[in-house]
Amino acid sequence: MLYTDEEKIKQSLSNYQNPDITRRDVINTIQHYPSLTTHLEPFVFNDGSKRELFNLEGTIPVTYKGNTYNIPICIWLMDTHPYNAPMCYVKPTSGMQIKVSIFVDHNGKIYLPYLHDWVPNSSDLLGLIQVMIVTFGEQPPVYAKRPDMQSSTPYPTQPYMPMPGGSSGSSAAPYPPYPTGLSYQPAASNQYPYPPYPSVYPNYPSTSFPYPPSTNHAFPSYPCFPGPPQSGKISSPPAINTANSSGGTTGTITEEHIRASLLSAVEDKVRRRLREQFSQMQAELETLSRTQQELLQGKSKLEDILARLEKEQVELDKNISILKDKEKELEKDIERLSEQQPLDVDEAVTTTAPLYKQLLIAFAEEAATEDAIYYMGEALRRGVIDLDVFLKQVRSLSRKQFMLHALMHKCRQKAGLAG
């Protein structure tokens, strides 16, 4: 693969949410199937909105009854790829007719279990194409028209595959207009603005087939008409003579064929409507399921909070009971003390030995002497006493303070206390 092609793909995927993962998936697919080309084109949704989406368009080789055919397809990648499944279509040329089955509807849209069960972390484009090859090898999505009827009638004469080779690819004729009727609706609120790929995917019974495989009849055994016209009026097509594969007999489209075609069109419309309704109901159920899960988680948190509050309530009640008991004890002590006689401060302080009492008295007298000297200095400063009186009194107090210091020092030595 050329470097310029990789740069072109990288530039085209610049607006995607996961450009690196998508680019690797696309490059890996193109390397295995080089007939696919990449484009960035506007895609029209049911509501008329447009969005630039990346697509892979081309042919894939399908082996049917020993022959290899090139089947034209187009794969549109959502801008949330790989978190939403791609939208796949068969794009028949003017010489082809879509073969409606449980895998392909009349618009060419492809329905596969691989798309229905798309897993973002394991599903990829390469696996999708391989599933298409296997599925289309058993149920071909298109068959070729007779060369002389390609321009005169849209009805096929025999359900057979296009000729092998590239003549049935995109170069044979321009593709018909791309269908815009899709089951995808763009959204803007969630992370991935698309619902899961098919809203309802049909079951895959092995015997009860809504469209049985075609055989070598003059007409295909499945309804081949495109359904009632858009105006609401049904116009019966003229009888058309066709030839079978042997060329020996001819057949005419009868009322039975028309009736079967109309029933098939109505059935397809009802099926699509049921898919849309089922998709809506499924989305609502998923929303309700998520809401239920969140409510259960909230309930668990609330129960934990309530249990913790109950435990704290028990502890608070216990502490309140203890405080009430202590309050009663304090009230009793206060009542007992109020009934007693006033205490003498000097008698309240007692010592264990006479020596300690003498030391305590000496310390108190020394502190009183120091206070007296201080107040004598204050009196001198204020002029209450003269200097002679101050010196005389300070000398007497200092002598007394010295004797008290000496007495405390001796008491400490006798008591074995630190000096």
Side-chain angles (χ1 to χ4, degrees), residues 325-357:
D325 294 339
K326 295 295 182 183
E327 184 179 4
K328 291 180 180 178
E329 292 179 3
L330 289 174
E331 290 177 354
K332 291 180 180 179
D333 293 338
I334 293 173
E335 183 179 358
R336 186 176 64 255
L337 292 174
S338 63
E339 294 176 355
Q340 295 179 358
Q341 296 295 330
L343 295 176
D344 187 3
V345 177
D346 294 333
E347 294 179 358
V349 180
T350 59
T351 57
T352 58
L355 182 61
Y356 293 150
K357 184 176 182 180

Side-chain angles (χ1 to χ4, degrees), residues 50-194:
K50 293 183 180 181
R51 182 173 299 184
E52 292 288 335
L53 296 181
F54 190 85
N55 66 77
L56 289 83
E57 182 178 342
T59 61
I60 57 174
V62 174
T63 303
Y64 178 69
K65 293 185 178 180
N67 295 323
T68 301
Y69 303 93
N70 294 325
I71 304 300
I73 63 169
C74 184
I75 302 175
W76 292 83
L77 305 183
M78 295 294 186
D79 52 6
T80 55
H81 187 83
Y83 293 99
N84 285 97
M87 297 179 295
C88 306
Y89 289 87
V90 175
K91 295 189 66 175
T93 62
S94 59
M96 298 181 185
Q97 182 75 21
I98 294 177
K99 182 179 179 182
V100 180
S101 66
I102 62 172
F103 303 114
V104 181
D105 63 11
H106 65 281
N107 285 328
K109 188 173 182 180
I110 299 174
Y111 298 90
L112 293 172
Y114 192 84
L115 292 171
H116 178 260
D117 301 328
W118 184 270
V119 180
N121 296 326
S122 59
S123 302
D124 54 14
L125 296 177
L126 187 60
L128 172 62
I129 293 177
Q130 291 173 353
V131 171
M132 286 185 187
I133 292 175
V134 174
T135 303
F136 294 160
E138 299 176 356
Q139 293 288 328
V142 294
Y143 58 91
K145 304 176 185 178
R146 282 180 49 186
D148 57 346
M149 298 184 66
Q150 291 182 8
S151 59
S152 59
T153 177
Y155 307 121
T157 59
Q158 182 177 354
Y160 60 92
M161 293 295 296
M163 294 301 293
S167 60
S168 61
S170 60
S171 60
Y175 291 118
Y178 202 68
T180 59
L182 304 176
S183 61
Y184 292 92
Q185 295 290 344
S189 59
N190 53 6
Q191 181 181 3
Y192 310 119
Y194 303 102

Side-chain angles (χ1 to χ4, degrees), residues 2 14 68 100 108 166 262 269 308 369 403:
L2 297 178
S14 59
T68 301
V100 180
L262 295 179
K269 186 174 182 180
R308 187 166 63 251
T369 303
M403 295 302 294

